[in-house]
Amino acid sequence: MTVNDDSFTNWKTREEIAESMIPIIGKLHRERDVTILLHSRSLVNKSVVSILKTHRFARQIAGEELSVTETMPFLQALTTLDLGPSQIDIGMLAATYKTDDRGLSVQEFTAGAVAGATGANKVERSAPRDVVLYGFGRIGRLVARLLIEKAGSGNGLRLRAIVVRGGGEQDLVKRASLLRRDSIHGQFQGTITVDEANGTIVANGNTIKVIYANDPSEVDYTAYGINDAILIDNTGKWRDREGLSKHLRPGIDKVVLTAPGKGDVPNIVHGVNHDTIKPDERVLSCASCTTNAIVPPLKAMDDEFGVLRGHVETVHSFTNDQNLLDNYHKADRRGRSAPLNMVITETGAASAVAKALPELKAPITGSSIRVPVPDVSIAILSLRLGRETTREEVLEYLRDVSLHSPLKRQIDFTTAPDAVSMDFVGSRHASIVDAGATKVDGDNAILYLWYDNEFGYSCQVIRVVQHVSGVEYPTYPAPAV
């Protein structure tokens, strides 16, 4: 047998194992609200090839490739346990088992590592929590996709309605079509049907009422059987407490804004300050996509090296706020054609750092350049540190943060030498450290942070909503603090 034959046989063996993983992963998710992860990447509803690619990608962050032959025994061990709602990272189970010197079997080690999610310790399933989307644009539709994807067993978050302004004939069909197909993020994973008679969109069995209104004051959500709901405002029309409080209508308990909040509205970056949300807080903001991209690495760098001052330059994909062709715009430069120009503009992300990370006393400045790409941006974070260090130390530290810290869902890490922006479409992390571009000279460090300003940000929004609704289930093995 030749080497090529050996490689092919090995591939077919791994294909077979990945194929056998799918029903196990699906059943755990559907029946027990258990999400199986591999280095913080969900394996739920993934294809055979996608599971194999996710295992191979581990070499980018952990330094070596994982094989399904290594992770499958841990997945099988999980099926024998009395698991409650949780997220379990089989990549981390496999990695930590390698370094464990207690001589335990895979079954014994797994039972101990996830003990907090089993038996009397397990979290009780939450009753379904209604969610309403106010606005159904780029972020609204991606948040809808995520809510539908995470419906799981039917417990947790449940998308009940979207609120939009009437768009005329075939409005419902057109909105369903935009949810079904996306030029950047691809096809919706599942089925979508339209019930025009009842004014609903049915996506993977989730019945979503489409409510037409020009103002929050026009809607009584209880009339649609919606109660105690979390409303996600994707319009950005209201950004202060007074404006956002208009949404606190019958049936709505809390309002979450997908834009930077003004005044005393808390700006929340999940992973950094979500634990500061007061239980009785009814109005909050998820800040901006760029704020979510820079605050977690800023916190990580400040924790380890100290940050004395910094500047962030964002090279940002164009957005619907800009014009397709030159036309009037109230803001400077944004009236010029977005697909044809690099456009210097402002970013509020630097000033927003103080709201999300008040313990960081360093002054942070910022500016932005909009460029002719439809999605994925990069933040260039230039920092003056509190001590001298080396490039190797910074990269090893950030790699470890991406794998083991409480920020591992926010910070990803890549060593790919030819990485470009399109490679990060669909990333669920708030930002991805580009190891190859990182520069360190004494107490000066420059980090290049990729981020999917649409999908990665939408994932952060969902994490905040899960937290305030009480369905943010614990992750095992527990990250190092």
Side-chain angles (χ1 to χ4, degrees):
M1 181 177 284
T2 67
V3 172
N4 285 341
D5 288 336
D6 286 341
S7 297
F8 185 70
T9 301
N10 178 264
W11 169 263
K12 299 304 287 184
T13 299
R14 288 186 289 131
E15 232 182 5
E16 184 179 3
I17 294 171
E19 199 171 68
S20 65
M21 284 180 156
I22 292 174
I24 300 174
I25 293 167
K27 188 173 183 179
L28 286 170
H29 188 245
R30 186 175 60 256
E31 296 184 358
R32 304 193 198 180
D33 277 344
V34 174
T35 300
I36 299 299
L37 309 173
L38 188 89
H39 287 315
S40 300
R41 289 163 170 78
S42 174
L43 297 183
V44 176
N45 292 329
K46 295 296 188 288
S47 67
V48 168
V49 171
S50 180
I51 289 172
L52 291 173
K53 285 180 69 175
T54 304
H55 277 75
R56 179 158 173 73
F57 186 78
R59 76 192 192 284
Q60 292 287 345
I61 48 178
E64 59 182 353
E65 184 176 345
L66 261 178
S67 171
V68 287
T69 59
E70 296 176 83
T71 57
M72 183 60 165
F74 296 93
L75 185 59
Q76 291 172 323
L78 292 174
T79 65
T80 68
L81 301 174
D82 179 24
L83 289 170
S86 55
Q87 299 186 103
I88 299 177
D89 194 318
I90 57 174
M92 291 307 300
L93 283 174
T96 52
Y97 182 66
K98 285 182 181 179
T99 61
D100 189 81
D101 59 3
R102 291 174 293 171
L104 301 175
S105 67
V106 167
Q107 179 70 42
E108 292 167 334
F109 178 83
T110 303
V114 303
T118 60
N121 297 322
K122 65 185 181 184
V123 176
E124 292 301 318
R125 292 185 182 184
S126 302
R129 185 71 178 270
D130 291 349
V131 178
V132 173
L133 299 180
Y134 199 97
F136 205 52
R138 298 298 303 151
I139 301 301
R141 291 194 296 274
L142 291 177
V143 168
R145 284 188 174 200
L146 286 164
L147 288 167
I148 294 162
E149 171 196 303
K150 294 178 181 298
S153 64
N155 293 281
L157 302 176
R158 182 174 59 174
L159 177 58
R160 296 293 309 282
I162 63 173
V163 184
V164 292
R165 289 176 293 185
E169 189 176 352
Q170 291 231 301
D171 180 273
L172 196 64
V173 172
K174 290 178 179 179
R175 294 189 189 278
S177 182
L178 285 169
L179 180 62
R180 184 181 292 115
R181 303 177 184 89
D182 191 283
S183 299
I184 297 168
H185 301 282
Q187 296 277 347
F188 174 80
Q189 296 301 303
T191 63
I192 294 176
T193 57
V194 175
D195 182 349
E196 290 191 85
N198 292 303
T200 61
I201 296 172
V202 182
N204 290 359
N206 295 268
T207 300
I208 307 161
K209 179 68 177 177
V210 179
I211 302 169
Y212 294 101
N214 293 314
D215 188 82
S217 63
E218 299 175 9
V219 189
D220 177 354
Y221 295 94
T222 58
Y224 303 97
I226 297 170
N227 293 284
D228 195 33
I230 298 172
L231 182 144
I232 305 174
D233 184 329
N234 306 291
T235 68
K237 183 176 180 180
W238 304 278
R239 292 171 59 187
D240 60 10
R241 186 173 296 277
E242 180 182 2
L244 291 168
S245 293
K246 294 180 180 181
H247 290 301
L248 296 173
R249 304 279 300 153
I252 302 299
D253 178 55
K254 294 181 185 292
V255 179
V256 175
L257 171 66
T258 62
K262 295 183 176 180
D264 68 341
V265 175
N267 280 250
I268 304 301
V269 174
H270 190 275
V272 175
N273 68 335
H274 66 275
D275 55 355
T276 66
I277 301 173
K278 298 176 181 177
D280 60 351
E281 179 59 75
R282 303 189 70 190
V283 175
L284 54 94
S285 155
C286 291
S288 71
C289 56
T290 303
T291 303
N292 277 265
I294 65 173
V295 166
L298 262 175
K299 173 176 171 48
M301 292 296 287
D302 188 50
D303 286 348
E304 179 66 19
F305 304 102
V307 173
L308 302 182
R309 64 172 178 268
H311 176 81
V312 59
E313 189 76 34
T314 71
V315 182
H316 199 291
S317 58
F318 63 76
T319 68
N320 274 329
D321 177 63
Q322 296 170 257
N323 290 333
L324 188 62
L325 293 171
D326 288 4
N327 206 352
Y328 173 80
H329 195 292
K330 63 181 181 180
D332 293 341
R333 307 186 202 241
R334 290 199 185 192
R336 303 299 299 277
S337 173
L340 298 177
N341 294 290
M342 293 190 291
V343 179
I344 298 173
T345 185
E346 297 176 347
T347 175
S351 59
V353 169
K355 283 191 171 184
L357 194 60
E359 60 268 30
L360 180 70
K361 304 304 180 184
I364 306 292
T365 57
S367 54
S368 178
I369 302 172
R370 297 287 180 94
V371 294
V373 296
D375 186 31
V376 181
S377 304
I378 190 166
I380 305 167
L381 191 57
S382 181
L383 303 174
R384 174 74 181 277
L385 304 177
R387 67 175 175 87
E388 292 194 353
T389 182
T390 64
R391 182 172 182 272
E392 291 72 24
E393 183 186 9
V394 169
L395 289 179
E396 187 55 38
Y397 168 68
L398 291 175
R399 185 207 301 267
D400 186 68
V401 166
S402 75
L403 285 171
H404 304 295
S405 81
L407 291 171
K408 66 181 183 179
R409 286 203 290 170
Q410 283 69 43
I411 299 176
D412 203 2
F413 189 91
T414 182
T415 58
D418 57 352
V420 294
S421 59
M422 287 299 291
D423 297 332
F424 304 103
V425 171
S427 169
R428 294 177 181 240
H429 288 78
S431 63
I432 305 100
V433 176
D434 191 315
T438 301
K439 294 173 173 55
V440 179
D441 182 10
D443 60 356
N444 290 294
I446 302 175
L447 307 182
Y448 287 74
L449 308 165
W450 297 102
Y451 59 109
D452 184 331
N453 48 277
E454 293 187 336
F455 195 73
Y457 175 68
S458 296
C459 289
Q460 283 287 89
V461 172
I462 289 294
R463 289 169 190 139
V464 171
V465 174
Q466 287 176 320
H467 179 74
V468 299
S469 65
V471 296
E472 186 181 33
Y473 299 136
T475 300
Y476 297 96
V481 178

